[in-house]
Structures are given as C-alpha cells and as structure tokens.
Amino acid sequence: MARDELRPEDLYTGPIDLPGVAALEDDETDPEKIEITYDEQRYPARPGRLRPRDHFRGGSVRRVATDPRSAVGTNPSYVEWLVRQSMLKDADVLARQVSGQPSMWRNPYARPDARRAIATSDVWFTAYPISLLTRPGQSFLAALGDEALWSAFERVGITAIHTGPVKRAGGIADWRYTPSVDGHFDRISTQIDPAFGTEDEFRALCDVAETHGGSVIDDIVPGHTGKGADFRLAEMGFKDYPGIYHMVQIPEEDWSLLPDVPDGVDSINLDPDTEHELAERGYIIGALQRVIFYTPGVKETNWSATAPATGPDGITRRWVYLHYFKQGQPSINWLDPTFAGMRLVIGDALHSLGELGTSALRLDANGFLGVEKSAGGLPAWSEGHPLSHAANHIIAGMVRKVGGFTFQELNLTIEDIRDTGAVGADLSYDFVGRPGYHHALATGQTEFLRLALRASLELGVEPVQLVHGLQNHDELTYELVHWATRHDDDQYRFRGREISGGQLAEEVRADLTDSLTGTADYNRVFTQNGIACTTTSLIAATRGVAQLDEITDADIPAIRDAHLLLCAYNAWQPGVFALSGWDLTGMLTVPADEVADLLSAGDTRWIERGAHDLLDVDPTATRSAAGMPRGRALYGPLPAQLDDPSSFASGLAGILDIRREYGIATASQIDIPEVAHPGMLVLVHRLDNGEANDDAQIQVTVLNFSAEEIEGTVRSEELTPQTEAIDATTGETVGHVDDLQSFAVSLPAYGAMFLLLDSADTAD
C-alpha cells in the first residue's frame, strides 16, 4: 500500500510515547517574563545573563477520550499518522543509515569550489514541473528522463537538469493533503509528489542523464517548510517538533492579544500594532528588516498566529510563528536546542543525494536562517546574520562531504553573497547582473550593467562563482537590494551626475517598469519585487509591442536575435549558464484571464509560467497535466528547431559550442572597460582555468544591446599591442590591437562577438 493511500483505521498500532508522562515535582505553570538587556556599544543584539531555570516549564499529561477517527492531537492514531508523514522522522532514519560509513570521509568539504562544480555541469536546463507538457499519461519525471529529450539537450549543449521542487508540498488539514501555496517551495515531505512521478522515475532520470554526460540537480529549502505533518505536530507541542520552527507559545491569559482566526483557515497574519505589542511584552523579536511579498490586508508582517490546537497531553495551545514568505511557509529555526530544524534539512539533502542520485542541490531562501532582536527600537537583524553563514556552511559542507555541490539563490547585497559563499554554497544565482542586462536591453545603454559588474568584482564576487540565468519560474527581480539597502547613501556616477545608491535603485526600477509594463499589457508588476514576464515578452516590450497578438512572423527574427544576445552575454563569461523551457521554445506570457483564479491572490508570476512542449509530444494539448494553460511559443519544439540552422536552438548550440571549446566557463574576468558606444558591453577574460597564469590567452566578449548597428572601439589595459583580434566563430581577423591597446569593431543590431587575441604569427 502506497504511503499516500493509508487510511486512518489502518494506522493505529498501539500506544505511542507521549511526552511528559511523568509529571515534574514542581509544576510551575506561570512563565516569568524575560527581561532582555543589550550591550549597544559592542554587541547591539547580545542578550544579558540567561537564567535557564526561569525559562523551563513543567507539565503533566491529561488523557482525553477521543474518537479514533478524529484529526486531533488526543487521538493516538492521528498523531502516529502525522509522525509517519513527517520529514523529521524520515531524517532520523536517513541519518542512521549513513552515519559512521567510510563514504562520509572521501571528499573534501570545508571550502566551496566553483570550478569543481562547473566541471560537473556548466549549462543547466531549469525545469518547472507544472508547466511541462508531456505525452498522454506520462509523468513529469518520466518526461525529463526521455531519451529523445536528452539527445536534443546534448545537441544544444545542455549538461544538467535542475528539476525544480518535486517533493510533496503544501499542507495537511485533518487527514487530507492540501495544495502548495508557492509552486512546491512549501515542502512537507521527503517523498516525491505523485503528481510528478515516482522515486523510480527520478532514479531513471539520473541514469539517462549520466549516459548523455549530464546530471540532475534537486532542491532543498533550508528556510521553511509547508504546513505539513511537522508543523501540525509542532502546533500540538509534540516532542521535538516545535523546535523545528521559529514559533512561540502564547499563554492563554494573553490570547486576547491575538486576532481571531476566521473559519476555514488555520492562522492569521498579525498587523503591525499586534506585532509591536507582542514584541514589547517579550514574546517575539518584532519587525524584521523587510516584509517580503508585502500585501496590505494579506501580509503586513512576517508573523502569524495559529488557531488553538490540542496536543497529546490534552493542552490547547496557540502560537505565533515567523514566516519570511507566505503564511503557509513557517520559518525553520536553526538555533533551537533540539536542532530539529537542522536535522530535518540535512535529512532532506541526504535523501536527494543518496536515495535519488542527484549530484547537486539548490538552496532556496537560504539567506534568512538567522534572526535576532536588535536594540534601540531597530528592526530585528534578519539579513546577513552570522547564523545564516554558519547554517549554510553546515549544509554545503555536508553536501560536499557526500560528493555533491550546492548553489544558492540569494537576493541580498554583493557583500552578503560574498560572505555567505565564502564557506557555504559553491555557486550563487546571479542577482548582480540579471537586472543589469535587462536594463541594458530595455534602455539600449549598458551603463548600469557595467557599474554593477564592476562593483561585483571590486567587492570580491567573481562571475565564475555565479549562475547566470535567463528566465526561471520567478519574476524579473529588480529589488536591487545592494543599492537600496547597505549602499543607499553611497554616491555613484550615473548618467553624468552623482546620485545615491537609493536613487540609483529607484531610477533603474522606474526605467524597467516603464519600459516593460508602461505600454505593454502582457507583463505585470509583481508586488515590490519585480516584473512578471518571459524573456521573449520582455524583448517584445522593449521593441514597443503593446499587445501580444501584434507579434507576427515578421517580428520573430528580431526577437530571436535579441534573445541570442542575452544568451551570449550569460554564456560568454565565466560561471554557469542556465535557461528554461520557456526560453528554449520562445514562450510569451499567458493572457491574464486564462489564469485569473491564480492571480486573485496577487501573485502575478503565473502569467509567465505557461505550459510548453519541448518535443512536440502532444500538439493538441491546451493545458499541462497540472492545469497550466498552454502559452504561445514563438520558436516551436526543439526537434524542429534543431533541423533549422536559423532557429533559436541552433543559434544557441553555436554559442555553447564556442563556450565549451575555449573553456570560458572556468576563466577569469579581468576587465570591464569603458565603451565607445552606450549600447556596447566589453568583457575581458583570461582563459586560465582560474590559475592566474599571465601567459594564458586573452578573450574578449563584445556585445551590442541596442537595436541598431554600431561601430566603436574596444580598449583595455589588458590588451597586448600588436596582437590580432580573431572572431572565434568565423576564424577571421576583425582588428589589430594598436599601441593604445585598442581596436575597432562593428556589430549588427543585437550582435555578439567572441574574440581571441593572438600574435600575428600565431594568427597566420
């Protein structure tokens, strides 16, 4: 019988171990309010001397007769069922299987190694389970393991699939599973969600990938879970489970401080006044540095209150819990004495790497793993916290210890990305250049992109450490956290004047919003974070297209050329290059009325997640198996594209051939010079595999982000006079480096050149 087929009456196997059976001799039922002081001069968030005995509270069990079919904490069969579904229980079993084994000591693990990770796989396909059209009756995982798909990927140059989250997500209400509230990033189980396939199909995918020289990348979510069995057991106060989460029990005498939970939901978001009152009374640490996904009346703070829940001990409790993201994503506590959250996350990672056969893991939302009260009325310290660094070190170290690698999707300042990556994940998602290259395309000017790339190099984040991506399941993120937070008062030279980092962020956001949504009715602003769009719908907006049905076959070549320019920018620099099925097929956004029910909660990203068919396996399908409506694809399926030398996929294959032939993925970026035309971008690299070999060949990437043909001069102090600039695509000499260390180039609209510098003798 499958795990999800279990019936309540099948589960009860006798008495279970209830907590606190033996009552403490001193039953102290009134907790003392904790007075916290802070050394503001040296340690702004350091607590005073702790009095552990004052924080402990005894209790005893009150047994209550309960209908065995009831979904309540006093029903042993229901509690046992929840335990069997829980991630913490699975983690304990998995840990015992690998503990003490020699395999745990065969790999170095202390330090991140971006180039080692890139050597494993350097071009990634980022899948999105609910949007992939499959053969009738075929699961998502079986479709990803299709030999025909991997043959096409091999021809294009793709070496890894990032599956996206495929484990069961959402929540549990009574005996029922409830749907995901955030695209399966609210994980509640180590088991594969039956909607996407089976564990055997996942393992088969890994085997097929390996036969084609590829690998598979999975996800773990160290920042939060969904409201599954673990959270329900935590609400009951059962064993270690409350230690998984940032949750605080509120005594019944103070329940009047909490808002009532409406019928039909299990928690309610706190308003700022309630958040402040609970913080003043010492229950919670209060407001954080920002409220992600802020929406008036929906999410005004990062805290929510639960409805009353009765535990196996007969006690009814209410809690206030932290959630950086949606209300259904309670945050994991990485510094609880039980270390239950850490155990849960590590167990999930071991399952993916050991049981399923993946080679790498994405760490989602891993920058928010530590929170601490601040002094002087300041918001709680929640970003760039040392505990986040420590937790990431532990996760990434464990993954490296068993032979894998990790990458993080961390949208914080460049310094935070640098510091977290110093001991944590091997690679980081490129939140530095991504808004910059979109801004360059939107405005036809690369000034902000060059400023961002130089800042990254100066602050110690090299492009080889980054995953340079086109569209993924998320919005085009333009929070520009680096400029808008830590550097908001710093001065920068932009558009001929000095402005602050905060003003710079505002100006860039305004440019993107106006260009991509001002006249285009098919892209949407997403809360305060960015714009929901596909790469092709972004390009269409920059070309002045007001409505998607205005795009004709005559418009596709220019959109394709701009799309290939963005591929060249991301692929012809060190680091990983990633793209999605929406990119490969040239998907446009889905009309809003076709996903109106999904948009009703304010998440506009659903318009960019249209269903797509990579292999033309079901031409008549109008929706994916998960129900996503099919979007319009400008380029079509991969087999047809690969038979057409002028197609997007064929052009991409040429870009990736050059990338691999010259080893640009593991090169060193040494200069981002000034340019002669505002639409130009020049990147200078040394093809040294990171060994700082001054004799290594120099490579120059030259790009034109404007829609017009341009001529200009490439100049850099890294260029050697009397050498020739040779186009790697054609083998032709395009210029000679003069004594001023420069040479002239001309590029068509959206043009891209991969140039190699050789002495005249070598070139001949």
Side-chain angles (χ1 to χ4, degrees):
M1 182 179 294
R3 177 170 171 166
D4 53 292
E5 294 172 345
L6 292 173
R7 298 165 297 178
E9 56 267 31
D10 298 325
L11 296 169
Y12 183 59
T13 58
I16 62 173
D17 178 24
L18 298 177
V21 173
L24 298 180
E25 291 183 2
D26 296 320
D27 185 8
E28 298 177 355
T29 57
D30 294 326
E32 179 182 327
K33 292 181 180 178
I34 303 167
E35 296 294 333
I36 301 176
T37 59
Y38 300 93
D39 181 346
E40 296 186 54
Q41 181 177 0
R42 297 184 61 188
Y43 302 103
R46 182 174 179 173
R49 186 175 67 87
L50 299 176
R51 299 184 300 277
R53 291 184 61 186
D54 294 336
H55 307 326
F56 296 158
R57 182 180 183 183
S60 60
V61 172
R62 292 175 290 171
R63 298 189 180 277
V64 181
T66 303
D67 187 326
R69 294 169 295 180
S70 299
V72 294
T74 51
N75 177 8
S77 60
Y78 181 59
V79 174
E80 179 66 14
W81 180 72
L82 290 175
V83 170
R84 292 183 183 183
Q85 314 308 308
S86 73
M87 297 179 71
L88 184 58
K89 177 66 174 178
D90 285 350
D92 290 342
V93 173
L94 286 161
R96 287 193 293 270
Q97 290 175 350
V98 299
S99 179
Q101 298 301 310
S103 59
M104 293 296 296
W105 301 100
R106 291 173 181 163
N107 300 293
Y109 63 88
R111 295 182 178 87
D113 191 340
R115 287 182 171 85
R116 170 186 167 273
I118 291 170
T120 302
S121 56
D122 71 309
V123 178
W124 301 351
F125 171 76
T126 57
Y128 194 64
I130 65 175
S131 296
L132 182 67
L133 287 167
T134 63
R135 304 179 195 279
Q138 185 184 42
S139 73
F140 165 75
L141 290 173
L144 287 189
D146 193 316
E147 284 279 357
L149 179 63
W150 274 96
S151 294
F153 280 173
E154 197 168 10
R155 289 178 64 186
V156 172
I158 294 169
T159 57
I161 281 182
H162 175 210
T163 62
V166 294
K167 295 182 178 179
R168 192 186 286 276
I172 287 178
D174 299 332
W175 298 91
R176 298 175 293 103
Y177 288 106
T178 58
S180 170
V181 299
D182 190 26
H184 271 69
F185 287 98
D186 46 346
R187 180 168 298 177
I188 62 171
S189 175
T190 58
Q191 306 302 308
I192 299 297
D193 192 316
F196 302 136
T198 66
E199 286 200 4
D200 286 341
E201 288 174 330
F202 199 115
R203 295 186 187 98
L205 161 62
C206 294
D207 291 341
V208 171
E210 187 173 1
T211 64
H212 289 270
S215 58
V216 178
I217 302 169
D218 194 12
D219 287 85
I220 61 170
V221 188
H224 53 253
T225 71
K227 288 185 175 179
D230 297 274
F231 188 73
R232 297 306 174 204
L233 290 164
E235 286 181 307
M236 297 174 185
F238 183 73
K239 291 190 174 181
D240 291 352
Y241 287 86
I244 296 173
Y245 300 103
H246 281 288
M247 57 194 305
V248 178
Q249 184 180 346
I250 306 299
E252 188 170 358
E253 58 266 28
D254 278 341
W255 284 7
S256 60
L257 299 174
L258 305 179
D260 294 331
V261 177
D263 293 339
V265 296
D266 60 6
S267 62
I268 185 169
N269 190 244
L270 302 185
D271 60 40
D273 290 340
T274 304
E275 175 189 58
H276 179 73
E277 179 66 20
L278 290 172
E280 286 293 301
R281 294 185 180 228
Y283 286 122
I284 62 175
I285 60 176
L288 273 56
Q289 289 169 269
R290 56 175 167 154
V291 180
I292 299 173
F293 299 163
Y294 174 85
T295 305
V298 177
K299 189 189 178 191
E300 298 182 350
T301 72
N302 293 302
W303 300 91
S304 286
T306 69
T310 303
D313 53 7
I315 297 175
T316 300
R317 300 171 174 86
R318 290 195 73 184
W319 309 79
V320 172
Y321 69 94
L322 175 69
H323 55 96
Y324 285 103
F325 297 93
K326 296 183 179 180
Q327 198 170 144
Q329 295 168 292
S331 293
I332 291 174
N333 185 352
W334 275 84
L335 202 57
D336 182 82
T338 65
F339 291 97
M342 179 187 297
R343 287 154 48 203
L344 180 150
V345 172
I346 296 299
D348 191 21
L350 291 174
H351 177 262
S352 292
L353 295 161
E355 296 289 316
L356 299 180
T358 60
S359 63
L361 298 172
R362 181 180 70 162
L363 310 181
D364 182 71
N366 67 315
F368 310 100
L369 307 185
V371 292
E372 185 172 337
K373 188 175 180 66
S374 296
L378 297 174
W381 186 8
S382 57
E383 298 183 13
H385 193 283
L387 179 57
S388 286
H389 300 165
N392 279 281
H393 195 179
I394 291 171
I395 300 168
M398 178 61 74
V399 172
R400 286 190 287 269
K401 202 172 187 186
V402 297
F405 69 87
T406 56
F407 80 100
Q408 61 185 2
E409 195 161 341
L410 188 65
N411 183 23
L412 294 178
T413 68
I414 296 172
E415 292 95 335
D416 288 326
I417 295 171
R418 176 198 65 204
D419 295 344
T420 305
V423 293
D426 299 273
L427 298 161
S428 299
Y429 196 80
D430 184 1
F431 284 107
V432 178
R434 191 167 186 250
Y437 77 74
H438 285 123
H439 185 261
L441 190 69
T443 62
Q445 299 180 359
T446 65
E447 184 179 9
F448 173 67
L449 175 58
R450 284 181 278 119
L451 191 159
L453 295 179
R454 288 172 185 150
S456 185
L457 280 182
E458 290 167 2
L459 292 172
V461 176
E462 299 182 30
V464 74
Q465 300 170 258
L466 302 177
V467 177
H468 311 288
L470 294 178
Q471 183 196 347
N472 59 19
H473 68 278
D474 272 329
E475 77 286 355
L476 159 57
T477 302
Y478 64 5
E479 288 173 293
L480 302 170
V481 176
H482 179 81
W483 319 99
T485 58
R486 180 179 293 195
H487 298 278
D488 61 331
D489 291 328
D490 293 353
Q491 294 296 302
Y492 298 93
R493 186 76 179 171
F494 185 65
R495 291 176 174 166
R497 70 196 195 284
E498 296 288 326
I499 62 173
S500 69
Q503 292 172 314
L504 176 65
E506 288 182 9
E507 196 161 313
V508 171
R509 281 195 293 261
D511 289 342
L512 287 168
T513 303
D514 181 64
S515 176
L516 304 183
T517 67
T519 58
D521 68 352
Y522 44 85
N523 298 326
R524 295 284 185 93
V525 172
F526 174 65
T527 66
Q528 296 175 319
N529 299 324
I531 296 171
C533 60
T534 67
T535 305
T536 47
S537 76
L538 177 147
I539 295 168
T542 66
R543 294 187 58 78
V545 177
Q547 297 180 332
L548 292 182
D549 56 12
E550 295 178 5
I551 299 176
T552 67
D553 289 346
D555 297 308
I556 294 177
I559 293 175
R560 176 204 61 208
D561 290 347
H563 204 162
L564 288 172
L565 165 73
L566 301 186
C567 291
Y569 163 77
N570 285 286
W572 286 352
Q573 63 175 308
V576 168
F577 170 54
L579 76 168
S580 65
W582 300 295
D583 287 303
L584 287 173
T585 56
M587 293 290 297
L588 298 172
T589 51
V590 175
D593 59 356
E594 295 186 24
V595 287
D597 55 331
L598 296 171
L599 300 182
S600 61
D603 191 343
T604 58
R605 293 175 298 177
W606 292 106
I607 66 171
E608 68 190 46
R609 298 169 176 168
H612 48 276
D613 190 343
L614 294 174
L615 295 178
D616 201 24
V617 296
D618 196 354
T620 62
T622 58
R623 290 181 177 270
S624 70
M628 282 302 299
R630 186 174 193 146
R632 180 183 172 191
L634 298 186
Y635 308 149
L638 285 177
Q641 286 195 63
L642 291 170
D643 289 338
D644 178 5
S646 65
S647 71
F648 172 81
S650 294
L652 174 62
I655 289 171
L656 297 182
D657 283 344
I658 293 293
R659 168 184 169 87
R660 192 151 294 126
E661 181 177 355
Y662 295 101
I664 187 66
T666 55
S668 299
Q669 191 168 93
I670 56 177
D671 195 17
I672 304 162
E674 296 294 337
V675 293
H677 187 283
M680 280 180 64
L681 178 71
V682 177
L683 308 174
V684 182
H685 306 109
R686 189 171 53 229
L687 304 178
D688 60 1
N689 197 34
E691 297 176 358
N693 179 4
D694 291 338
D695 295 328
Q697 190 171 29
I698 298 298
Q699 183 275 332
V700 182
T701 297
V702 187
L703 307 166
N704 175 14
F705 280 84
S706 74
E708 60 184 26
E709 182 178 353
I710 65 172
E711 294 184 355
T713 300
V714 174
R715 185 184 183 283
S716 170
E717 294 183 359
E718 301 296 335
L719 305 184
T720 302
Q722 312 309 316
T723 55
E724 294 186 347
I726 300 169
D727 189 329
T729 304
T730 64
E732 298 178 355
T733 298
V734 300
H736 295 79
V737 180
D738 58 27
D739 290 340
L740 295 177
Q741 297 173 291
S742 65
F743 62 92
V745 294
S746 61
L747 293 95
Y750 307 127
M753 302 177 73
F754 189 101
L755 304 177
L756 301 166
L757 294 193
D758 278 319
S759 67
D761 292 340
T762 303
D764 293 339

